[in-house]
Short mmCIF file of all heavy atoms in Angstrom, two decimals:
data_model
loop_
_atom_site.label_atom_id
_atom_site.label_comp_id
_atom_site.label_asym_id
_atom_site.label_seq_id
_atom_site.Cartn_x
_atom_site.Cartn_y
_atom_site.Cartn_z
N ARG A 169 -4.05 16.13 -15.34
CA ARG A 169 -2.79 15.44 -15.60
C ARG A 169 -1.74 16.46 -16.05
O ARG A 169 -1.95 17.19 -16.99
CB ARG A 169 -3.03 14.38 -16.66
CG ARG A 169 -1.78 13.63 -17.05
CD ARG A 169 -2.18 12.38 -17.77
NE ARG A 169 -3.03 11.58 -16.90
CZ ARG A 169 -2.84 10.32 -16.62
NH1 ARG A 169 -1.84 9.68 -17.14
NH2 ARG A 169 -3.64 9.67 -15.84
N ALA A 170 -0.62 16.43 -15.36
CA ALA A 170 0.43 17.40 -15.66
C ALA A 170 1.18 17.02 -16.92
O ALA A 170 1.27 15.86 -17.30
CB ALA A 170 1.41 17.46 -14.49
N ASP A 171 1.70 18.02 -17.59
CA ASP A 171 2.55 17.76 -18.75
C ASP A 171 3.73 16.91 -18.31
O ASP A 171 4.25 17.07 -17.22
CB ASP A 171 3.06 19.06 -19.33
CG ASP A 171 1.98 19.83 -20.06
OD1 ASP A 171 0.96 19.22 -20.41
OD2 ASP A 171 2.17 21.03 -20.26
N GLY A 172 4.14 15.98 -19.14
CA GLY A 172 5.27 15.14 -18.81
C GLY A 172 4.87 13.88 -18.07
O GLY A 172 5.68 12.99 -17.86
N ASP A 173 3.61 13.77 -17.67
CA ASP A 173 3.14 12.54 -17.02
C ASP A 173 2.89 11.52 -18.11
O ASP A 173 2.02 11.68 -18.94
CB ASP A 173 1.86 12.82 -16.24
CG ASP A 173 1.40 11.63 -15.42
OD1 ASP A 173 1.90 10.51 -15.67
OD2 ASP A 173 0.57 11.82 -14.53
N THR A 174 3.67 10.45 -18.08
CA THR A 174 3.61 9.48 -19.17
C THR A 174 2.70 8.30 -18.86
O THR A 174 2.56 7.40 -19.67
CB THR A 174 5.01 8.94 -19.51
OG1 THR A 174 5.59 8.40 -18.32
CG2 THR A 174 5.89 10.04 -20.04
N ALA A 175 2.06 8.28 -17.69
CA ALA A 175 1.17 7.18 -17.37
C ALA A 175 -0.02 7.17 -18.33
O ALA A 175 -0.64 8.20 -18.56
CB ALA A 175 0.69 7.28 -15.93
N ALA A 176 -0.31 6.03 -18.88
CA ALA A 176 -1.43 5.92 -19.80
C ALA A 176 -2.74 5.95 -19.04
O ALA A 176 -2.82 5.48 -17.92
CB ALA A 176 -1.32 4.62 -20.59
N ALA A 177 -3.76 6.51 -19.64
CA ALA A 177 -5.08 6.52 -19.02
C ALA A 177 -5.53 5.09 -18.75
O ALA A 177 -5.37 4.21 -19.57
CB ALA A 177 -6.07 7.22 -19.93
N GLY A 178 -6.05 4.86 -17.55
CA GLY A 178 -6.51 3.53 -17.21
C GLY A 178 -5.47 2.68 -16.53
O GLY A 178 -5.78 1.63 -16.03
N SER A 179 -4.24 3.11 -16.50
CA SER A 179 -3.22 2.35 -15.80
C SER A 179 -3.00 2.97 -14.43
O SER A 179 -3.47 4.06 -14.15
CB SER A 179 -1.91 2.34 -16.59
OG SER A 179 -1.36 3.63 -16.60
N GLY A 180 -2.28 2.28 -13.60
CA GLY A 180 -2.02 2.82 -12.26
C GLY A 180 -1.32 1.80 -11.43
O GLY A 180 -1.02 0.70 -11.89
N ILE A 181 -1.06 2.13 -10.17
CA ILE A 181 -0.34 1.21 -9.31
C ILE A 181 -1.26 0.31 -8.51
O ILE A 181 -0.82 -0.69 -7.97
CB ILE A 181 0.60 1.97 -8.33
CG1 ILE A 181 -0.18 2.88 -7.41
CG2 ILE A 181 1.64 2.76 -9.09
CD1 ILE A 181 0.66 3.45 -6.29
N ASN A 182 -2.54 0.67 -8.44
CA ASN A 182 -3.49 -0.14 -7.66
C ASN A 182 -4.25 -1.08 -8.59
O ASN A 182 -5.11 -0.64 -9.34
CB ASN A 182 -4.46 0.80 -6.93
CG ASN A 182 -5.53 0.04 -6.16
OD1 ASN A 182 -5.46 -1.17 -6.01
ND2 ASN A 182 -6.52 0.76 -5.70
N PRO A 183 -3.96 -2.40 -8.52
CA PRO A 183 -4.63 -3.32 -9.42
C PRO A 183 -6.05 -3.69 -9.00
O PRO A 183 -6.87 -4.03 -9.85
CB PRO A 183 -3.73 -4.56 -9.41
CG PRO A 183 -3.09 -4.52 -8.06
CD PRO A 183 -2.93 -3.06 -7.71
N ALA A 184 -6.37 -3.65 -7.69
CA ALA A 184 -7.68 -4.20 -7.28
C ALA A 184 -8.26 -3.66 -5.98
O ALA A 184 -9.41 -3.95 -5.68
CB ALA A 184 -7.56 -5.72 -7.17
N ILE A 185 -7.52 -2.91 -5.21
CA ILE A 185 -7.98 -2.54 -3.87
C ILE A 185 -9.01 -1.42 -3.91
O ILE A 185 -8.72 -0.33 -4.41
CB ILE A 185 -6.79 -2.15 -2.97
CG1 ILE A 185 -5.91 -3.37 -2.73
CG2 ILE A 185 -7.28 -1.55 -1.64
CD1 ILE A 185 -4.60 -3.08 -2.05
N ARG A 186 -10.24 -1.70 -3.42
CA ARG A 186 -11.30 -0.69 -3.23
C ARG A 186 -11.46 0.21 -4.44
O ARG A 186 -11.54 1.43 -4.35
CB ARG A 186 -11.01 0.11 -1.95
CG ARG A 186 -11.18 -0.76 -0.70
CD ARG A 186 -10.43 -0.33 0.55
NE ARG A 186 -10.45 1.07 0.86
CZ ARG A 186 -9.68 1.63 1.81
NH1 ARG A 186 -8.87 0.88 2.54
NH2 ARG A 186 -9.74 2.91 2.03
N LYS A 187 -11.52 -0.43 -5.63
CA LYS A 187 -11.59 0.33 -6.87
C LYS A 187 -12.89 1.14 -7.00
O LYS A 187 -12.97 2.04 -7.83
CB LYS A 187 -11.44 -0.60 -8.08
CG LYS A 187 -10.10 -1.30 -8.15
CD LYS A 187 -8.94 -0.33 -8.25
CE LYS A 187 -8.66 0.05 -9.69
NZ LYS A 187 -7.41 0.87 -9.79
N GLU A 188 -13.91 0.80 -6.18
CA GLU A 188 -15.16 1.55 -6.23
C GLU A 188 -15.01 2.95 -5.62
O GLU A 188 -15.89 3.80 -5.81
CB GLU A 188 -16.27 0.77 -5.53
CG GLU A 188 -16.16 0.67 -4.02
CD GLU A 188 -15.14 -0.35 -3.51
OE1 GLU A 188 -14.41 -0.95 -4.32
OE2 GLU A 188 -15.05 -0.52 -2.28
N GLU A 189 -13.91 3.18 -4.90
CA GLU A 189 -13.69 4.48 -4.27
C GLU A 189 -12.92 5.40 -5.22
O GLU A 189 -12.01 4.97 -5.91
CB GLU A 189 -12.90 4.31 -2.96
CG GLU A 189 -13.64 3.47 -1.93
CD GLU A 189 -12.84 3.26 -0.65
OE1 GLU A 189 -11.94 4.09 -0.35
OE2 GLU A 189 -13.11 2.26 0.04
N ALA A 190 -13.29 6.69 -5.21
CA ALA A 190 -12.60 7.65 -6.07
C ALA A 190 -11.15 7.83 -5.66
O ALA A 190 -10.27 8.06 -6.50
CB ALA A 190 -13.31 9.00 -6.03
N LYS A 191 -10.88 7.70 -4.35
CA LYS A 191 -9.52 7.83 -3.83
C LYS A 191 -9.44 7.00 -2.57
O LYS A 191 -10.29 7.13 -1.69
CB LYS A 191 -9.22 9.30 -3.54
CG LYS A 191 -7.85 9.55 -2.96
CD LYS A 191 -7.41 11.01 -2.99
CE LYS A 191 -8.42 11.98 -2.51
NZ LYS A 191 -7.92 13.38 -2.50
N VAL A 192 -8.44 6.15 -2.47
CA VAL A 192 -8.27 5.30 -1.29
C VAL A 192 -7.46 6.06 -0.26
O VAL A 192 -6.29 6.36 -0.48
CB VAL A 192 -7.58 3.97 -1.65
CG1 VAL A 192 -7.41 3.11 -0.41
CG2 VAL A 192 -8.36 3.23 -2.72
N VAL A 193 -8.11 6.38 0.85
CA VAL A 193 -7.46 7.12 1.93
C VAL A 193 -7.72 6.38 3.24
O VAL A 193 -8.85 5.94 3.49
CB VAL A 193 -8.02 8.56 2.05
CG1 VAL A 193 -7.40 9.28 3.24
CG2 VAL A 193 -7.78 9.32 0.76
N ASP A 194 -6.71 6.22 4.06
CA ASP A 194 -6.85 5.60 5.37
C ASP A 194 -6.26 6.51 6.42
O ASP A 194 -5.26 7.18 6.18
CB ASP A 194 -6.14 4.24 5.40
CG ASP A 194 -6.74 3.26 4.42
OD1 ASP A 194 -7.87 2.83 4.66
OD2 ASP A 194 -6.09 2.97 3.40
N THR A 195 -6.87 6.53 7.59
CA THR A 195 -6.37 7.31 8.71
C THR A 195 -5.97 6.37 9.84
O THR A 195 -6.73 5.45 10.16
CB THR A 195 -7.46 8.28 9.23
OG1 THR A 195 -7.83 9.16 8.17
CG2 THR A 195 -6.95 9.09 10.41
N VAL A 196 -4.81 6.59 10.42
CA VAL A 196 -4.34 5.77 11.53
C VAL A 196 -4.05 6.69 12.72
O VAL A 196 -3.34 7.68 12.57
CB VAL A 196 -3.03 5.03 11.15
CG1 VAL A 196 -2.49 4.27 12.34
CG2 VAL A 196 -3.29 4.09 9.98
N LEU A 197 -4.66 6.37 13.84
CA LEU A 197 -4.34 7.09 15.07
C LEU A 197 -3.19 6.34 15.73
O LEU A 197 -3.36 5.25 16.28
CB LEU A 197 -5.57 7.14 16.00
CG LEU A 197 -6.78 7.87 15.40
CD1 LEU A 197 -7.98 7.78 16.33
CD2 LEU A 197 -6.44 9.33 15.11
N ALA A 198 -2.01 6.91 15.66
CA ALA A 198 -0.80 6.21 16.10
C ALA A 198 -0.90 5.77 17.56
O ALA A 198 -0.39 4.72 17.94
CB ALA A 198 0.42 7.09 15.88
N GLY A 199 -1.55 6.57 18.39
CA GLY A 199 -1.67 6.23 19.79
C GLY A 199 -2.53 5.01 20.05
O GLY A 199 -2.48 4.43 21.13
N GLU A 200 -3.34 4.61 19.06
CA GLU A 200 -4.22 3.45 19.23
C GLU A 200 -3.69 2.19 18.57
O GLU A 200 -4.38 1.17 18.51
CB GLU A 200 -5.61 3.79 18.67
CG GLU A 200 -6.28 4.91 19.45
CD GLU A 200 -7.68 5.24 18.94
OE1 GLU A 200 -8.16 4.55 18.03
OE2 GLU A 200 -8.29 6.18 19.47
N LEU A 201 -2.46 2.22 18.06
CA LEU A 201 -1.87 1.02 17.49
C LEU A 201 -1.70 -0.03 18.58
O LEU A 201 -1.29 0.29 19.69
CB LEU A 201 -0.52 1.34 16.85
CG LEU A 201 -0.58 2.22 15.61
CD1 LEU A 201 0.83 2.62 15.20
CD2 LEU A 201 -1.29 1.52 14.47
N SER A 202 -2.03 -1.28 18.26
CA SER A 202 -1.98 -2.33 19.27
C SER A 202 -0.58 -2.93 19.41
O SER A 202 -0.24 -3.46 20.46
CB SER A 202 -2.98 -3.43 18.94
OG SER A 202 -2.72 -3.99 17.67
N LYS A 203 0.22 -2.83 18.34
CA LYS A 203 1.56 -3.41 18.38
C LYS A 203 2.60 -2.30 18.37
O LYS A 203 2.35 -1.20 17.87
CB LYS A 203 1.77 -4.33 17.16
CG LYS A 203 0.80 -5.51 17.11
CD LYS A 203 1.10 -6.43 15.95
CE LYS A 203 0.76 -5.77 14.64
NZ LYS A 203 0.92 -6.68 13.48
N PRO A 204 3.80 -2.57 18.88
CA PRO A 204 4.84 -1.54 18.87
C PRO A 204 5.29 -1.14 17.47
O PRO A 204 5.73 -0.02 17.24
CB PRO A 204 5.99 -2.17 19.66
CG PRO A 204 5.63 -3.58 19.90
CD PRO A 204 4.20 -3.79 19.57
N LEU A 205 5.16 -2.08 16.51
CA LEU A 205 5.58 -1.82 15.13
C LEU A 205 4.52 -2.39 14.19
O LEU A 205 4.26 -3.60 14.23
CB LEU A 205 6.93 -2.48 14.87
CG LEU A 205 7.72 -2.05 13.65
CD1 LEU A 205 8.08 -0.56 13.72
CD2 LEU A 205 8.99 -2.88 13.54
N THR A 206 3.89 -1.55 13.39
CA THR A 206 2.82 -2.00 12.49
C THR A 206 3.22 -1.71 11.04
O THR A 206 3.49 -0.56 10.70
CB THR A 206 1.49 -1.29 12.81
OG1 THR A 206 1.17 -1.52 14.18
CG2 THR A 206 0.37 -1.81 11.94
N PRO A 207 3.28 -2.75 10.17
CA PRO A 207 3.65 -2.52 8.78
C PRO A 207 2.43 -2.19 7.92
O PRO A 207 1.43 -2.90 7.94
CB PRO A 207 4.26 -3.87 8.36
CG PRO A 207 3.57 -4.87 9.22
CD PRO A 207 3.19 -4.17 10.50
N TYR A 208 2.53 -1.10 7.15
CA TYR A 208 1.47 -0.69 6.23
C TYR A 208 1.93 -0.88 4.79
O TYR A 208 3.07 -0.57 4.45
CB TYR A 208 1.08 0.77 6.48
CG TYR A 208 0.25 0.91 7.72
CD1 TYR A 208 0.86 1.05 8.96
CD2 TYR A 208 -1.13 0.83 7.67
CE1 TYR A 208 0.10 1.14 10.12
CE2 TYR A 208 -1.89 0.91 8.82
CZ TYR A 208 -1.27 1.07 10.04
OH TYR A 208 -2.02 1.13 11.17
N CYS A 209 1.03 -1.38 3.98
CA CYS A 209 1.33 -1.73 2.59
C CYS A 209 1.57 -0.50 1.72
O CYS A 209 0.82 0.47 1.77
CB CYS A 209 0.17 -2.54 2.01
SG CYS A 209 0.41 -3.02 0.28
N ARG A 210 2.62 -0.59 0.89
CA ARG A 210 2.88 0.44 -0.11
C ARG A 210 2.95 -0.16 -1.52
O ARG A 210 3.24 0.55 -2.48
CB ARG A 210 4.20 1.16 0.18
CG ARG A 210 4.13 1.97 1.47
CD ARG A 210 5.29 2.89 1.64
NE ARG A 210 6.56 2.15 1.73
CZ ARG A 210 7.73 2.73 1.91
NH1 ARG A 210 7.81 4.04 2.02
NH2 ARG A 210 8.81 2.00 2.01
N CYS A 211 2.69 -1.48 -1.62
CA CYS A 211 2.77 -2.12 -2.95
C CYS A 211 1.40 -2.32 -3.58
O CYS A 211 1.31 -2.70 -4.73
CB CYS A 211 3.50 -3.45 -2.86
SG CYS A 211 2.52 -4.82 -2.16
N TRP A 212 0.34 -2.13 -2.83
CA TRP A 212 -1.03 -2.25 -3.31
C TRP A 212 -1.37 -3.68 -3.70
O TRP A 212 -2.23 -3.92 -4.54
CB TRP A 212 -1.30 -1.30 -4.48
CG TRP A 212 -1.27 0.13 -4.04
CD1 TRP A 212 -0.16 0.92 -3.95
CD2 TRP A 212 -2.37 0.93 -3.58
NE1 TRP A 212 -0.51 2.15 -3.46
CE2 TRP A 212 -1.86 2.19 -3.24
CE3 TRP A 212 -3.73 0.68 -3.44
CZ2 TRP A 212 -2.66 3.21 -2.76
CZ3 TRP A 212 -4.53 1.71 -2.96
CH2 TRP A 212 -3.99 2.96 -2.63
N ARG A 213 -0.70 -4.67 -3.13
CA ARG A 213 -1.00 -6.08 -3.42
C ARG A 213 -1.46 -6.81 -2.17
O ARG A 213 -1.78 -8.01 -2.24
CB ARG A 213 0.24 -6.79 -3.98
CG ARG A 213 0.37 -6.78 -5.50
CD ARG A 213 0.65 -5.42 -6.00
NE ARG A 213 0.72 -5.39 -7.47
CZ ARG A 213 0.88 -4.25 -8.13
NH1 ARG A 213 0.98 -3.10 -7.51
NH2 ARG A 213 0.94 -4.26 -9.43
N SER A 214 -1.51 -6.17 -1.03
CA SER A 214 -1.84 -6.85 0.22
C SER A 214 -3.30 -7.28 0.27
O SER A 214 -4.20 -6.53 -0.11
CB SER A 214 -1.55 -5.92 1.40
OG SER A 214 -1.96 -6.54 2.60
N GLY A 215 -3.54 -8.47 0.79
CA GLY A 215 -4.90 -8.94 1.02
C GLY A 215 -5.49 -8.37 2.28
O GLY A 215 -6.67 -8.57 2.55
N THR A 216 -4.68 -7.66 3.07
CA THR A 216 -5.15 -7.04 4.31
C THR A 216 -4.95 -5.53 4.28
O THR A 216 -4.81 -4.90 5.31
CB THR A 216 -4.42 -7.64 5.53
OG1 THR A 216 -3.02 -7.41 5.37
CG2 THR A 216 -4.70 -9.11 5.68
N PHE A 217 -4.93 -4.96 3.07
CA PHE A 217 -4.71 -3.53 2.91
C PHE A 217 -5.62 -2.72 3.83
O PHE A 217 -6.79 -3.05 3.95
CB PHE A 217 -4.99 -3.13 1.45
CG PHE A 217 -4.50 -1.77 1.09
CD1 PHE A 217 -3.22 -1.59 0.62
CD2 PHE A 217 -5.32 -0.67 1.25
CE1 PHE A 217 -2.76 -0.33 0.29
CE2 PHE A 217 -4.86 0.60 0.93
CZ PHE A 217 -3.59 0.77 0.45
N PRO A 218 -5.14 -1.71 4.54
CA PRO A 218 -3.87 -1.03 4.33
C PRO A 218 -2.68 -1.67 5.05
O PRO A 218 -1.58 -1.15 4.97
CB PRO A 218 -4.13 0.38 4.87
CG PRO A 218 -5.09 0.16 5.98
CD PRO A 218 -5.98 -0.97 5.51
N LEU A 219 -2.90 -2.80 5.74
CA LEU A 219 -1.78 -3.45 6.40
C LEU A 219 -1.01 -4.32 5.41
O LEU A 219 -1.58 -4.87 4.47
CB LEU A 219 -2.29 -4.32 7.56
CG LEU A 219 -3.02 -3.57 8.68
CD1 LEU A 219 -3.57 -4.56 9.70
CD2 LEU A 219 -2.11 -2.56 9.35
N CYS A 220 0.26 -4.46 5.62
CA CYS A 220 1.13 -5.33 4.81
C CYS A 220 0.90 -6.78 5.23
O CYS A 220 0.84 -7.09 6.41
CB CYS A 220 2.59 -4.95 5.05
SG CYS A 220 3.80 -6.09 4.37
N ASP A 221 0.75 -7.68 4.23
CA ASP A 221 0.65 -9.11 4.53
C ASP A 221 1.81 -9.89 3.91
O ASP A 221 1.76 -11.11 3.84
CB ASP A 221 -0.70 -9.66 4.07
CG ASP A 221 -0.84 -9.73 2.57
OD1 ASP A 221 0.07 -9.24 1.84
OD2 ASP A 221 -1.85 -10.27 2.09
N GLY A 222 2.82 -9.21 3.45
CA GLY A 222 3.99 -9.86 2.86
C GLY A 222 3.87 -10.08 1.36
O GLY A 222 4.80 -10.61 0.74
N SER A 223 2.77 -9.66 0.75
CA SER A 223 2.58 -9.87 -0.69
C SER A 223 3.61 -9.13 -1.53
O SER A 223 3.83 -9.49 -2.70
CB SER A 223 1.17 -9.41 -1.12
OG SER A 223 0.18 -10.24 -0.53
N HIS A 224 4.27 -8.13 -0.97
CA HIS A 224 5.31 -7.41 -1.72
C HIS A 224 6.46 -8.33 -2.12
O HIS A 224 7.12 -8.08 -3.13
CB HIS A 224 5.82 -6.20 -0.91
CG HIS A 224 6.41 -6.58 0.41
ND1 HIS A 224 5.67 -6.64 1.58
CD2 HIS A 224 7.67 -6.96 0.73
CE1 HIS A 224 6.47 -7.00 2.57
NE2 HIS A 224 7.67 -7.22 2.09
N VAL A 225 6.70 -9.39 -1.34
CA VAL A 225 7.80 -10.31 -1.65
C VAL A 225 7.53 -10.98 -3.01
O VAL A 225 8.41 -11.01 -3.88
CB VAL A 225 7.96 -11.38 -0.55
CG1 VAL A 225 9.01 -12.40 -0.94
CG2 VAL A 225 8.32 -10.72 0.78
N LYS A 226 6.32 -11.49 -3.20
CA LYS A 226 5.95 -12.13 -4.46
C LYS A 226 5.99 -11.11 -5.61
O LYS A 226 6.49 -11.41 -6.70
CB LYS A 226 4.54 -12.73 -4.33
CG LYS A 226 4.04 -13.43 -5.58
CD LYS A 226 2.64 -13.99 -5.35
CE LYS A 226 2.08 -14.59 -6.63
NZ LYS A 226 0.68 -15.01 -6.45
N HIS A 227 5.46 -9.92 -5.34
CA HIS A 227 5.47 -8.86 -6.36
C HIS A 227 6.89 -8.52 -6.78
O HIS A 227 7.20 -8.41 -7.97
CB HIS A 227 4.74 -7.62 -5.82
CG HIS A 227 4.97 -6.40 -6.64
ND1 HIS A 227 4.34 -6.19 -7.85
CD2 HIS A 227 5.79 -5.32 -6.45
CE1 HIS A 227 4.75 -5.03 -8.35
NE2 HIS A 227 5.62 -4.50 -7.53
N ASN A 228 7.78 -8.35 -5.80
CA ASN A 228 9.16 -7.99 -6.11
C ASN A 228 9.86 -9.09 -6.92
O ASN A 228 10.61 -8.80 -7.86
CB ASN A 228 9.94 -7.71 -4.82
CG ASN A 228 9.55 -6.39 -4.19
OD1 ASN A 228 8.93 -5.54 -4.83
ND2 ASN A 228 9.88 -6.21 -2.93
N LYS A 229 9.61 -10.35 -6.56
CA LYS A 229 10.23 -11.47 -7.30
C LYS A 229 9.72 -11.52 -8.72
O LYS A 229 10.47 -11.79 -9.66
CB LYS A 229 9.95 -12.80 -6.60
CG LYS A 229 10.83 -13.02 -5.39
CD LYS A 229 10.61 -14.39 -4.78
CE LYS A 229 11.51 -14.58 -3.57
NZ LYS A 229 11.13 -15.75 -2.76
N ALA A 230 8.43 -11.24 -8.92
CA ALA A 230 7.83 -11.34 -10.25
C ALA A 230 8.22 -10.19 -11.16
O ALA A 230 8.28 -10.34 -12.38
CB ALA A 230 6.30 -11.42 -10.12
N THR A 231 8.47 -9.02 -10.57
CA THR A 231 8.66 -7.82 -11.39
C THR A 231 10.06 -7.22 -11.32
O THR A 231 10.40 -6.36 -12.13
CB THR A 231 7.68 -6.72 -10.95
OG1 THR A 231 7.99 -6.34 -9.60
CG2 THR A 231 6.24 -7.20 -11.04
N GLY A 232 10.86 -7.62 -10.35
CA GLY A 232 12.15 -6.99 -10.15
C GLY A 232 12.05 -5.68 -9.39
O GLY A 232 13.02 -4.94 -9.28
N ASP A 233 10.86 -5.40 -8.89
CA ASP A 233 10.63 -4.17 -8.12
C ASP A 233 11.28 -4.31 -6.73
O ASP A 233 11.79 -5.38 -6.38
CB ASP A 233 9.12 -3.94 -8.00
CG ASP A 233 8.75 -2.47 -7.93
OD1 ASP A 233 9.64 -1.64 -7.65
OD2 ASP A 233 7.57 -2.15 -8.15
N ASN A 234 11.25 -3.25 -5.94
CA ASN A 234 11.89 -3.29 -4.62
C ASN A 234 11.03 -2.64 -3.54
O ASN A 234 11.55 -2.07 -2.60
CB ASN A 234 13.26 -2.60 -4.68
CG ASN A 234 13.14 -1.12 -4.97
OD1 ASN A 234 12.08 -0.65 -5.37
ND2 ASN A 234 14.22 -0.38 -4.80
N VAL A 235 9.71 -2.75 -3.68
CA VAL A 235 8.82 -2.08 -2.73
C VAL A 235 8.70 -2.86 -1.43
O VAL A 235 8.87 -4.06 -1.38
CB VAL A 235 7.41 -1.86 -3.33
CG1 VAL A 235 7.50 -0.90 -4.50
CG2 VAL A 235 6.78 -3.17 -3.76
N GLY A 236 8.40 -2.13 -0.36
CA GLY A 236 8.21 -2.72 0.95
C GLY A 236 7.30 -1.85 1.77
O GLY A 236 6.87 -0.78 1.34
N PRO A 237 6.98 -2.30 2.99
CA PRO A 237 6.00 -1.60 3.81
C PRO A 237 6.53 -0.32 4.46
O PRO A 237 7.73 -0.12 4.58
CB PRO A 237 5.66 -2.63 4.89
CG PRO A 237 6.91 -3.43 5.04
CD PRO A 237 7.50 -3.51 3.65
N LEU A 238 5.58 0.49 4.91
CA LEU A 238 5.86 1.60 5.81
C LEU A 238 5.69 1.06 7.22
O LEU A 238 4.62 0.54 7.56
CB LEU A 238 4.86 2.74 5.57
CG LEU A 238 4.82 3.84 6.64
CD1 LEU A 238 6.11 4.65 6.64
CD2 LEU A 238 3.61 4.73 6.40
N LEU A 239 6.72 1.14 8.04
CA LEU A 239 6.65 0.66 9.41
C LEU A 239 6.33 1.83 10.33
O LEU A 239 7.07 2.81 10.38
CB LEU A 239 7.98 0.02 9.82
CG LEU A 239 8.42 -1.17 8.96
CD1 LEU A 239 9.80 -1.65 9.41
CD2 LEU A 239 7.41 -2.29 9.03
N VAL A 240 5.19 1.72 11.05
CA VAL A 240 4.79 2.78 11.97
C VAL A 240 5.05 2.30 13.39
O VAL A 240 4.54 1.26 13.80
CB VAL A 240 3.30 3.13 11.79
CG1 VAL A 240 2.89 4.22 12.77
CG2 VAL A 240 3.04 3.60 10.36
N LYS A 241 5.86 3.07 14.11
CA LYS A 241 6.18 2.73 15.49
C LYS A 241 5.21 3.42 16.43
O LYS A 241 4.88 4.59 16.24
CB LYS A 241 7.60 3.19 15.84
CG LYS A 241 8.69 2.35 15.25
CD LYS A 241 10.05 2.83 15.75
CE LYS A 241 11.17 1.95 15.25
NZ LYS A 241 12.48 2.41 15.74
N LYS A 242 4.77 2.69 17.46
CA LYS A 242 3.87 3.26 18.46
C LYS A 242 4.64 4.19 19.36
O LYS A 242 5.77 3.94 19.72
CB LYS A 242 3.22 2.13 19.27
CG LYS A 242 2.17 2.62 20.24
CD LYS A 242 1.45 1.44 20.85
CE LYS A 242 0.33 1.96 21.76
NZ LYS A 242 -0.45 0.87 22.33
FE1 FES B 102 2.32 -4.44 0.21
FE2 FES B 102 3.88 -5.59 2.01
S1 FES B 102 2.09 -6.37 1.10
S2 FES B 102 4.10 -3.65 1.16
#
């Protein structure tokens, strides 16, 4: 942990996704995307993580945050 990092131990941005993993990493082969535009979650609240399921809307309303998905174009 770097000096100046004020995050408390045990806190973080991921409340529940794949907590058994030391680090959550996903790989996407862009050429194999089935849709022209695929939204990926950046709020860590999606029930279909790593894909966005719109849960950021509820999170933003509840917290005043402004997070949204990463849109990957094929
Ligand atoms: Fe997380 Fe949309 S559900 S960014």
Side-chain angles (χ1 to χ4, degrees):
R169 178 163 302 232
D171 287 341
D173 186 345
T174 56
S179 68
I181 62 170
N182 177 10
I185 294 171
R186 292 156 43 190
K187 297 300 273 187
E188 71 282 5
E189 298 178 24
K191 178 166 47 177
V192 180
V193 176
D194 297 290
T195 300
V196 176
L197 298 175
E200 295 182 4
L201 292 172
S202 59
K203 299 184 290 185
L205 195 61
T206 303
Y208 285 86
C209 179
R210 294 191 298 182
C211 77
W212 293 87
R213 269 69 183 176
S214 176
T216 59
F217 194 89
L219 299 175
C220 169
D221 70 354
S223 294
H224 59 269
V225 175
K226 180 180 175 185
H227 166 76
N228 287 344
K229 282 184 180 167
T231 64
D233 211 343
N234 65 346
V235 295
L238 167 68
L239 301 176
V240 179
K241 286 184 176 180
K242 186 172 184 177

